[in-house]
Amino acid sequence: MNFFERQLEVRRASARLVWLFTLAVVVIVALVDFAVWAGFRLWERQAGSAARILVVAGVLTVLVIGLTSWIRTLLLRRGGGGKVATSLGGGAGLAGHA
């Protein structure tokens, strides 16, 4: 496999990850909205009031996910891949093997 084939393969994998992340966000927002709908018994309220509450819950959920992703991206840029590996428990046993 040459460089350009590998580059195309990695771009396809990245695009797939972006789509999966987007799908995950949509599913999370739907689950949070369902929990809010059930938790606050929104079926007993007027439709307009219930819709506003669900929109606010959805927007807040997207903001939390977006802010968290942004912060993690900044931390990754600052510390690089080694910091990610350490935060996930990788490399802990390698300290004495340098």
Side-chain angles (χ1 to χ4, degrees):
M1 176 180 296
N2 68 25
F3 171 79
F4 297 106
E5 290 172 344
R6 179 69 180 145
Q7 185 179 32
L8 183 60
E9 183 181 305
V10 169
R11 283 187 179 166
R12 286 183 184 146
S14 295
R16 182 172 182 244
L17 287 174
V18 168
W19 281 109
L20 288 173
F21 179 77
T22 303
L23 177 63
V25 170
V26 169
V27 169
I28 290 168
V29 169
L31 289 173
V32 167
D33 278 352
F34 177 75
V36 168
W37 181 77
F40 289 102
R41 301 171 60 112
L42 293 183
W43 62 87
E44 296 176 350
R45 296 182 182 226
Q46 292 180 351
S49 174
R52 280 191 295 276
I53 292 170
L54 291 176
V55 167
V56 168
V59 168
L60 288 175
T61 303
V62 169
L63 285 175
V64 167
I65 292 171
L67 183 63
T68 304
S69 298
W70 180 64
I71 289 170
R72 292 305 243 173
T73 301
L74 290 177
L75 290 174
L76 177 61
R77 286 183 184 169
R78 212 177 256 181
K83 189 168 188 172
V84 173
T86 302
S87 72
L88 295 173
L94 300 176
H97 298 287

